[in-house]
Amino acid sequence: MITRDSIETAYSFLHQKRQVYIHSSLDWQKDDIEYAIASYADDMSQELYDMIAEGRSDFLRDHDRFQEDITIAVEQLEGML
């Protein structure tokens, strides 16, 4: 069961990190954010992750698609609130 608290927590964390990521010009900072989000994805509710990942096991973990993935995740979580 996905709780509202887990959705709010995930949304807040991902939204904050996305805002920094998209405005950053520092590669090391972007890499740190990607690592933090991948670690968060490992520990978040599996049911919630599966729902926003839509079957992609590398969702929020693929460097080449990270900005697109985090944007999708934030939009989906916002829609669930």
Side-chain angles (χ1 to χ4, degrees):
M1 177 177 167
I2 301 172
T3 65
R4 183 165 179 84
D5 285 345
S6 67
I7 296 168
E8 288 174 350
T9 300
Y11 173 78
S12 295
F13 184 70
L14 295 177
H15 181 269
Q16 176 196 35
K17 296 299 183 192
R18 181 184 174 275
Q19 291 303 104
V20 174
Y21 187 89
I22 64 174
H23 293 101
S24 179
S25 60
L26 304 171
D27 288 339
W28 66 266
Q29 186 176 41
K30 288 183 170 189
D31 289 343
D32 285 354
I33 291 169
E34 288 182 35
Y35 178 78
I37 297 297
S39 295
Y40 182 80
D42 288 342
D43 294 333
M44 73 187 295
S45 157
Q46 188 64 47
E47 188 177 0
L48 181 57
Y49 178 81
D50 290 343
M51 183 177 287
I52 63 173
E54 298 180 341
R56 284 192 41 229
S57 61
D58 65 344
F59 188 72
L60 296 173
R61 296 178 177 102
D62 181 347
H63 174 75
D64 294 328
R65 291 188 52 152
F66 182 78
Q67 187 167 340
E68 179 183 352
D69 285 354
I70 196 167
T71 299
I72 290 167
V74 168
E75 289 171 355
Q76 287 184 353
L77 290 165
E78 186 173 28
M80 297 168 76
L81 292 175

